[in-house]
Structure formats: structure tokens, C-alpha cells
Amino acid sequence: MTAALAATPISKRSKVSSVGGMLRRPETGSFLGMLAVFGFFVVFGQSNFTSAAGVASWLNVASTLGIVALPVGLLMIAGELDISIGSMIPAGSMIFAIITGYYGFPVWAGIATALLLGIVVGLINGLLVLKTSVPSLIVTLGTLFAVAGLTLSLSVFITGTTSVAVNVPPFVKTVLGEFVGGMFQVTIFWWIGIAAIYTFILHFSPAGNWIFALGGDKVGARNAGIPTDKITVSLFVASSVSASFVGVSQAILFNSAQVSSGSSFIFNSIISVVVGGVLLTGGYGSIVGVVMGTITFAIVNQGIYFTSFDANLASLIIGVLMLLAVLLNNTFRTMALSYSSKKK
């Protein structure tokens, strides 16, 4: 303890420590950004923005996007990236619809097959990254186009169309693809539950420290005895399975599956994760931050329709938001590092 810190009154010292602790948290910048964006649309939006229907409009977007963004966030913290999710969503949706809707097999068979496809693609992504040492961006770009091509060709070959109708029992509809109260998608509850699980894994289990270590220094983590290969493959599997799950839930919600859906999730999930305070270089981030980043993106994406602004400006606002979020998060991280240096 330095002489200056020792001379500081305990109450003041505690206050300084609490401020420093807040600065060091990855979600601090994303929380302030979320409040700023929400306040902006409260002021410039119509009263419907804060109504139940208005809140549902952006929470529904956040829930489906958030289920995919959470494992993508973990991958980015670990220093990897998965963009094949853009193909896995329609692939999971179509294989479920073909098995259940076209061939008439039980719903559980369609869901199991869709999730199994996610496991297989995740394993392929993870193993290719490990065995070839090719950057995950390039590997998953390849699987993105491969899965998209297979989904389109098989759908047309089997059904003769790119859209397949789905009709599931009421219980399955209630659990996976229903509007609660006529407005809120049930996927909101799935999103909350999955976020809770990932929060425990990343912040309260040894695996979380391994993920951070993997993103900070992969070679050092391997030398320290951390099972880096298993973690990498597991994270890719989680990402693909989550995307396939979202595809299934959308097919059940809208009673049909489309080959062309899912591409927007690629960049939207990455934007949400970055806005949530995760560094593109890995080794830094939090689940709470990713959740708030996803909410922030959803508010901007839907909030523009509650204002008198041109809806075409939504992409511009999202782009500016991402740049500001990166700058804000970097500022807080720099302040945290400076605080730590002064404390020493």
C-alpha cells in the first residue's frame, strides 16, 4: 500500500475502490450505452415505445438474437469467431420442417435431428480450426456457404420448394413458439435461462477462467494444462446448436421454415457482442454485457419505427452505435488499467 493510499480516510478509500471496481467491469460501458439509447427513444419515440406492445417488439428481437449472441460472445472471449450461424438457423429450421412437416415424423424426432445437425457442424468447425490452424473466421465462412448450399439443394430436391409448412401439437407450440399474452415470445424465457447458465459457466466455474485464459494467451493456457482443444470444440458446438435451436423455434412460431432466413444474425450477433463490451481480440467480456448489448441493438433496431425519423436510418444508427460502443468500452478499459497502475 502506497503512502498516499494509506493517508486516505477509509471511507474515501472504499469509495475510490468501488469506482475502480466499476471501471474494471466489462459491462459498465454497455450499461451506460443501453441507458443512453433507451433514453433517446423515450424522448424522440412515441408513447407506444414504452407500452407493453412496444417493449415486446424489441424484447422479442433481443431474445432470438440473444440466444445466438451468447455463445458467439463466449467464442469471441476465447479468441474465436463463428459466422456459420447464418446458415445454421435456416438449416435447423428446414431439417425440422422436412422431418416433422413434410414426412410427418414426431416433433421430438425433428427437434433431435436439428440439434444433432448443430452438434455435427460445431464439431466440424472446432476440429478444422484445431487441426488446420486456419483462422476460425475463414473456417466458419466455408461452412457458412457449405451448409447454405446443402440446405437449399436438399430442400428443393426433397420437397420441390424452399418453404415447408409446420404444424405441431399445442404443448410444443406453447413451449417453443408461442406469444405469451399475445405479444411476448416464449423464447424470452429461454434466453433468460440460457443467459443464467452461461453466467454460471463463465463467471462462477473453472471453465470460465479457462475461456478467458484461452482468449488471452492460447499457448500459455495450453502450457498451463488447460484443456484448450476441448473448450474450443465445445464452444463451437454450443454456437451451432444454439443457432439450430433458434431455427426450430422460428419454424414453430411462424408455422413454416424458409431457406433464406438467418443471414442477418451473423453481423447482428457480432454487433451485440461488441456493444456488450467483448473485445474482438478476446480475453475480455461478460455475459451480462452481452445481454445488455443485445438489448441495446434490439432497441435501436425496433425503436426507429416509433419515431418520426426515416426508418432507413436504422442501419446508420446501428453503425454509429457500434463505433461509439467500441470507443466507450475501450475508454473504460483504459481507465480501469490506469486505475490499477495507480493503485500499485
Side-chain angles (χ1 to χ4, degrees):
M1 183 180 296
T2 62
L5 184 58
T8 304
I10 294 179
S11 58
K12 186 176 180 181
R13 193 184 311 163
S14 300
K15 185 176 180 180
V16 172
S17 299
S18 62
V19 171
M22 286 295 296
L23 292 178
R24 289 195 299 274
R25 298 187 67 86
E27 61 270 15
T28 299
S30 59
F31 175 70
L32 295 177
M34 182 181 69
L35 287 182
V37 168
F38 183 80
F40 175 85
F41 285 105
V42 167
V43 173
F44 292 98
Q46 301 173 3
S47 58
N48 290 336
F49 175 73
T50 54
S51 66
V55 172
S57 69
W58 48 266
L59 267 185
N60 291 339
V61 171
S63 64
T64 53
L65 176 60
I67 292 174
V68 177
L70 286 168
V72 169
L74 288 180
L75 269 172
M76 289 177 64
I77 292 174
E80 305 292 351
L81 186 62
D82 183 7
I83 63 173
S84 66
I85 55 172
S87 292
M88 281 308 304
I89 292 175
S93 179
M94 286 301 297
I95 195 169
F96 167 76
I98 290 173
I99 291 176
T100 301
Y102 186 77
Y103 284 114
F105 285 102
V107 173
W108 65 263
I111 295 175
T113 305
L115 297 182
L116 179 61
L117 175 65
I119 293 174
V120 171
V121 174
L123 286 172
I124 292 173
N125 284 335
L127 292 175
L128 284 177
V129 170
L130 293 176
K131 301 302 181 182
T132 64
S133 297
V134 174
S136 55
L137 172 64
I138 305 301
V139 169
T140 55
L141 179 63
T143 52
L144 169 74
F145 286 104
V147 173
L150 283 173
T151 302
L152 177 60
S153 59
L154 289 177
S155 298
V156 173
F157 176 76
I158 294 173
T159 68
T161 181
T162 58
S163 176
V164 179
V166 177
N167 187 18
V168 299
F171 172 75
V172 178
K173 184 80 171 178
T174 300
V175 174
L176 292 175
E178 186 66 273
F179 283 100
V180 179
M183 293 181 290
F184 297 91
Q185 289 184 24
V186 71
T187 48
I188 294 174
F189 301 101
W190 284 95
W191 176 41
I192 294 172
I194 294 171
I197 293 172
Y198 282 141
T199 298
F200 173 79
I201 293 174
L202 186 63
H203 302 294
F204 298 98
S205 74
N209 293 328
W210 297 345
I211 293 172
F212 282 114
L214 184 59
D217 184 359
K218 184 180 298 184
V219 176
R222 184 181 296 113
N223 293 337
I226 294 175
T228 56
D229 291 356
K230 290 183 179 180
I231 294 173
T232 300
V233 173
S234 297
L235 291 178
F236 275 109
V237 169
S239 178
S240 293
V241 170
S242 296
S244 188
F245 174 80
V246 168
V248 170
S249 67
Q250 288 190 330
I252 294 174
L253 178 67
F254 299 112
N255 299 315
S256 67
Q258 304 287 337
V259 171
S260 60
S261 62
S263 59
S264 63
F265 279 79
I266 300 173
F267 295 106
N268 292 353
S269 61
I270 295 174
I271 291 172
S272 299
V273 171
V274 172
V275 171
V278 176
L279 290 182
L280 291 170
T281 52
Y284 188 81
S286 72
I287 294 299
V288 175
V290 174
V291 169
M292 290 191 291
T294 305
I295 293 175
T296 302
F297 176 87
I299 290 175
V300 174
N301 189 62
Q302 295 298 113
I304 190 71
Y305 299 105
F306 292 90
T307 68
S308 58
F309 303 141
D310 184 358
N312 294 323
L313 293 175
S315 295
L316 172 63
I317 296 175
I318 291 172
V320 173
L321 170 67
M322 183 176 181
L323 292 175
L324 291 177
V326 171
L327 292 174
L328 184 63
N329 290 330
N330 285 340
T331 299
F332 274 95
R333 186 167 180 267
T334 301
M335 292 172 64
L337 293 175
S338 299
Y339 171 82
S340 298
S341 299
K342 291 178 180 179
K343 188 175 180 180
K344 292 178 181 180

